[in-house]
């Protein structure tokens, strides 16, 4: 308060009795800000931060800066303060009604507290924070703000909101600032990686695979680019190394699943040209099973399984592979037959 000047000191004395809201607001005085919100002593840091954030939004302030509240004379533990401050910010950022407050900063002068705030942020890194997720991509600088996001459309289908991270570096000399900037850049480069998957099956991705890619891109710190105009089509994954490798494995699983499905489909197609399983339908006419069920019945027979559950006319039946009869829970029985395309009924 002293640094803000005598005018702010006088205002504080004037409003000192107005403690109902837990804070008073004065002019910025000699400080480089338009307003100062003075908090009354309270061990509930989360509540205090929430009140300030809501006040800023209500008064349509665009930015606010916090110290590490309660770590001075109040003697609260930095780890506890970090958790409570970040909890309050996450809850506030998750509100869809937030329109005015764009930038939140936490100013930490004591370097020994950086670890506590960093660890608190790390605990939240893998949580699904929906709206608040974009705020957490900026936490590592300890100066984070809600920048106007720019949508970058990926080829064909994927969209990614890119949240810029702003580092504000203060130092005793330009040399120290330059050294810190170089160190930060080195850390970023060490954490980044890129990988490309090329496969013909990528060109067959449908809405399910595209939705899965979009979900991976949303949950992980990666950018996924799909280009199916190339031969073969490719998917490029870039971002934080551990997330790149996680997404890489997931995409390879998707491709393998498609490959397995295609092989099963080809097998079913080939088998239907050799063997046809049928069930007795209306008018005493045998009706062929679909190719997938046809393959399952043949595989069960070759494996000498006694039973196989199938669907006939959208109802569940259990086929007895020894008697070639299908039974349902209502006691209905349907005759089954296996026909070789070359040899007739078997």
């Amino acid at each position: 308060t002293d640094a803000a000047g005598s005018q702010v000191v006088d205002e504080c004395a004037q409003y000192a009795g107005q403690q109902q809201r837990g804070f008073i607001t004065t002019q910025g005085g000699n400080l480089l800000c338009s307003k100062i919100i003075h908090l009354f002593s309270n061990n509930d840091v989360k509540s205090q931060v929430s009140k300030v954030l809501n006040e800023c939004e209500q008064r349509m302030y665009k930015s606010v800066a916090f110290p590490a509240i309660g770590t001075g004379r109040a003697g609260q533990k930095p780890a506890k303060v970090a958790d409570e401050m970040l909890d309050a910010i996450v809850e506030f950022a998750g509100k869809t009604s937030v329109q005015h407050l764009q930038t939140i900063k936490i100013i930490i002068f004591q370097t020994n507290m950086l670890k506590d705030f960093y660890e608190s942020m790390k605990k939240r890194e893998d949580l699904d924070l929906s709206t608040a997720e974009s705020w957490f991509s900026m936490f590592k600088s300890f100066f984070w703000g809600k920048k106007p996001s720019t949508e970058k459309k990926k080829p064909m289908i994927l969209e990614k909101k890119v949240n810029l991270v702003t580092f504000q570096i203060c130092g005793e000399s330009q040399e120290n600032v330059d050294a810190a900037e170089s160190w930060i850049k080195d850390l970023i480069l060490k954490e980044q990686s890129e990988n490309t998957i090329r496969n013909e099956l990528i060109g067959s991705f449908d809405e399910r695979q595209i939705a899965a890619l979009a979900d991976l891109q949303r949950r992980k710190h990666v950018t996924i680019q799909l280009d199916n105009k190339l031969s073969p089509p490719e998917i490029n994954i870039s971002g934080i190394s551990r997330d790149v490798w996680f997404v890489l494995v997931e995409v390879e699983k998707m491709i393998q699943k498609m490959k397995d499905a295609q092989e099963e489909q080809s097998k079913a197609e080939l088998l239907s040209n050799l063997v046809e399983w049928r069930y007795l339908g209306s008018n005493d006419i045998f009706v062929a099973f679909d190719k997938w069920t046809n393959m399952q019945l043949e595989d069960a027979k070759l494996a000498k399984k006694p039973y196989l559950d199938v669907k006939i006319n959208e109802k569940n039946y259990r086929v007895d592979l020894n008697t070639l009869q299908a039974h349902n829970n209502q006691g209905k029985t349907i005759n089954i037959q296996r026909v070789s395309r070359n040899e007739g009924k078997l």
Side-chain angles (χ1 to χ4, degrees):
T1 303
D2 293 339
S6 58
Q7 179 185 353
V8 174
V9 174
D10 292 341
E11 280 191 82
C12 286
Q14 179 182 350
Y15 300 132
Q18 303 176 10
Q19 301 185 19
Q20 294 84 358
R21 302 173 66 188
F23 63 86
I24 58 174
T25 303
T26 67
Q27 299 300 315
N30 296 333
L31 301 183
L32 298 178
C33 60
S34 60
K35 301 287 183 181
I36 302 175
I37 297 178
H38 306 263
L39 296 170
F40 292 100
S41 181
N42 187 333
N43 289 331
D44 190 348
V45 173
K46 180 179 177 180
S47 173
Q48 288 186 309
V49 173
S50 296
K51 287 180 180 179
V52 172
L53 293 175
N54 289 326
E55 176 74 4
C56 290
E57 176 65 16
Q58 185 177 348
R59 292 183 176 272
M60 295 185 288
Y61 297 155
K62 293 183 178 180
S63 64
V64 62
F66 289 93
I69 296 173
T71 57
R73 292 181 180 178
Q76 296 201 51
K77 293 182 179 180
K80 171 182 175 293
V81 169
D83 285 341
E84 293 193 22
M85 292 188 72
L86 298 185
D87 283 345
I89 292 170
V90 169
E91 290 182 8
F92 176 80
K95 295 179 180 178
T96 56
S97 58
V98 177
Q99 297 179 351
H100 305 290
L101 189 58
Q102 297 178 354
T103 303
I104 300 174
K105 298 181 181 181
I106 296 181
I107 310 299
I108 301 175
F109 297 101
Q110 302 92 333
T111 56
N112 61 304
M113 293 186 190
L114 291 176
K115 181 180 179 182
D116 296 300
F117 277 80
Y118 176 77
E119 292 298 330
S120 183
M121 290 185 289
K122 285 287 288 183
K123 288 189 293 187
R124 295 163 171 78
E125 188 171 28
D126 294 328
L127 296 178
D128 181 11
L129 299 173
S130 60
T131 306
E133 186 177 15
S134 61
W135 291 61
F136 272 90
S137 66
M138 305 174 191
F139 272 179
K140 289 185 180 178
S141 64
F142 292 99
F143 299 90
W144 66 97
K146 183 180 172 186
K147 303 287 183 181
S149 61
T150 58
E151 290 192 353
K152 183 179 179 182
K153 291 187 177 180
K154 302 293 178 287
M156 298 302 295
I157 35 79
L158 289 177
E159 292 185 359
K160 176 74 173 180
K161 287 186 177 180
V162 179
N163 298 289
L164 300 178
V165 177
T166 302
F167 288 87
Q168 299 182 1
I169 305 172
C170 302
E172 295 180 352
S173 66
Q174 185 61 44
E175 182 180 356
N176 289 343
V177 171
D178 291 342
E181 180 181 1
S182 177
W183 177 72
I184 291 172
K185 287 180 178 179
D186 287 342
L187 285 179
I188 292 173
L189 289 175
K190 287 178 182 178
E191 284 287 326
Q192 299 294 306
S193 66
E194 183 175 348
N195 213 303
T196 300
I197 302 174
R198 298 177 179 88
N199 195 292
E200 291 291 348
L201 289 176
I202 293 174
S204 301
F205 275 19
D206 60 19
E207 292 181 358
R208 292 171 298 173
Q209 284 81 37
I210 297 309
L213 289 177
D215 181 62
L216 286 169
Q217 184 171 246
R218 181 184 64 82
R219 291 189 293 111
K220 298 297 180 179
H221 298 289
V222 297
T223 296
I224 302 175
Q225 293 178 302
L226 183 149
D227 193 340
N228 55 14
K229 295 181 179 179
L230 298 177
S231 183
E234 68 177 37
I235 292 175
N236 181 270
I237 309 163
S238 59
I240 295 179
S241 299
R242 64 178 181 276
D243 286 351
V244 167
W245 286 110
F246 177 88
V247 173
L248 178 68
V249 171
E250 292 301 307
V251 173
E252 287 178 341
K253 287 180 182 177
M254 291 165 58
I255 293 173
Q256 185 61 47
K257 188 175 181 179
M258 292 178 66
K259 182 180 179 181
D260 293 342
Q262 283 193 356
E263 290 177 353
E264 288 289 291
Q265 185 177 356
S266 298
K267 179 183 175 182
E269 188 74 34
L270 177 62
L271 190 61
S272 68
N273 294 323
L274 301 174
V275 176
E276 186 172 84
W277 286 80
R278 304 169 180 172
Y279 62 91
L280 188 62
S282 58
N283 301 323
D284 291 333
I285 297 175
F286 278 94
V287 180
F289 283 100
D290 63 81
K291 294 176 181 179
W292 178 256
T293 305
N294 186 73
M295 181 181 67
Q296 288 184 311
L297 285 164
E298 186 64 18
D299 286 346
K301 178 181 181 299
L302 294 175
K304 297 183 179 181
K305 294 182 178 179
Y307 303 102
L308 181 71
D309 294 327
V310 301
K311 280 187 178 293
I312 299 177
N313 296 326
E314 302 300 322
K315 294 183 179 179
N316 296 321
Y317 282 82
R318 170 161 288 190
V319 175
D320 186 323
L321 292 167
N322 294 316
T323 64
L324 293 183
Q325 289 184 323
H327 309 277
N328 67 6
N329 292 333
Q330 285 72 43
K332 185 176 180 179
T333 299
I334 297 178
N335 290 328
I336 304 295
Q337 67 175 202
R338 176 184 180 275
V339 176
S340 170
R341 293 297 183 92
N342 296 327
E343 304 174 11
K345 181 178 178 181
L346 292 178

